[in-house]
Amino acid sequence: MASKTVAKDIITLRGSAAIVSEFFEWLESGKLQRVVLVIMSKATGEVLERWNFSIETDSEVVEKGVSREKSDKEIMREIQAIMRQIASSITYLPCLDDSCVFDVLAYTDTDIAVPFTWIESDPKLIANPQMVKLHSFDTKIHKVDTLVSYKNDEWDEE
Ligand SMILES: *[C@@H]1O[C@H](CO)[C@@H](O)[C@H](O)[C@H]1NC(C)=O
């Protein structure tokens, strides 16, 4: 497994569309294992929040092209539940007082061709984080689990 990051300060519509469509290409081939959103202090580069979205792909669907049955409505309901959890996470996440920047990490199989805009990255982990696991959702082809880690302020003060 390799983790890769797109580091860019300026984003254009074309650049954004290219990044998003890369994810979909990688998703379709079943080679995207995780997408991580890392929020860092702009001043110090310290990682403050790390949103870990892990993706499990049904390999039979990718390999044999079989289909699965699940209604859009049910999938939407699951996604909405996660959206609500993300929205309410502001009640326990520490305030982000500093200016922040973010990075997107894609964990992929090692055999994929990586577009030149992506570079290898360290995992940008948080030492001794607080962790909260959110609901998962499942299309019957992809299952997405979300784990948010954030800097443990109490630990810092000891
Ligand atoms: C991210 O999620 C995956 C799958 O749930 C898990 O194996 C991994 O340990 C997590 N990473 C971190 C840093 O929490």
Side-chain angles (χ1 to χ4, degrees):
M1 200 189 324
S3 89
K4 315 204 163 60
T5 182
V6 188
K8 262 198 205 146
D9 294 327
I10 299 169
I11 187 130
T12 59
L13 179 59
R14 179 177 295 177
S16 171
I19 291 168
V20 172
S21 68
E22 272 156 26
F23 275 125
F24 288 118
E25 283 149 16
W26 288 346
L27 253 189
E28 250 182 84
S29 62
K31 293 181 181 217
L32 185 62
Q33 298 160 359
R34 242 187 265 169
V35 175
V36 178
L37 175 69
V38 181
I39 300 172
M40 295 161 288
S41 153
K42 190 173 181 184
T44 65
E46 185 184 19
V47 180
L48 305 173
E49 286 179 21
R50 192 176 187 280
W51 292 77
N52 180 0
F53 301 90
S54 75
I55 302 157
E56 247 175 71
T57 308
D58 183 329
S59 56
E60 209 191 344
V61 174
V62 175
E63 283 155 23
K64 301 185 188 147
V66 295
S67 49
R68 302 269 184 258
E69 235 174 81
K70 183 160 182 172
S71 72
D72 285 2
K73 202 171 152 194
E74 204 180 335
I75 296 168
M76 282 325 230
R77 206 172 21 234
E78 290 179 10
I79 293 176
Q80 279 162 8
I82 297 166
M83 293 301 190
R84 276 196 297 276
Q85 274 195 315
I86 290 175
S88 62
S89 68
I90 55 161
T91 57
Y92 57 80
L93 289 176
C95 288
L96 298 173
D97 297 321
D98 303 348
S99 298
C100 291
V101 292
F102 70 92
D103 251 343
V104 176
L105 308 181
Y107 283 74
T108 62
D109 291 359
T110 46
D111 63 344
I112 59 154
V114 178
F116 70 93
T117 47
W118 292 81
I119 56 170
E120 296 282 332
S121 168
D122 68 280
K124 300 190 189 286
L125 297 173
I126 299 172
N128 308 300
Q130 297 274 83
M131 281 194 252
V132 177
K133 190 180 180 314
L134 305 189
H135 289 308
S136 50
F137 81 89
D138 183 358
T139 65
K140 287 209 170 160
I141 294 175
H142 297 108
K143 180 168 186 280
V144 179
D145 275 298
T146 305
L147 189 65
V148 52
S149 326
Y150 53 97
K151 220 185 110 189
N152 187 344
D153 282 330
E154 283 158 49
W155 183 278
D156 245 23
E157 282 154 21
E158 275 169 30

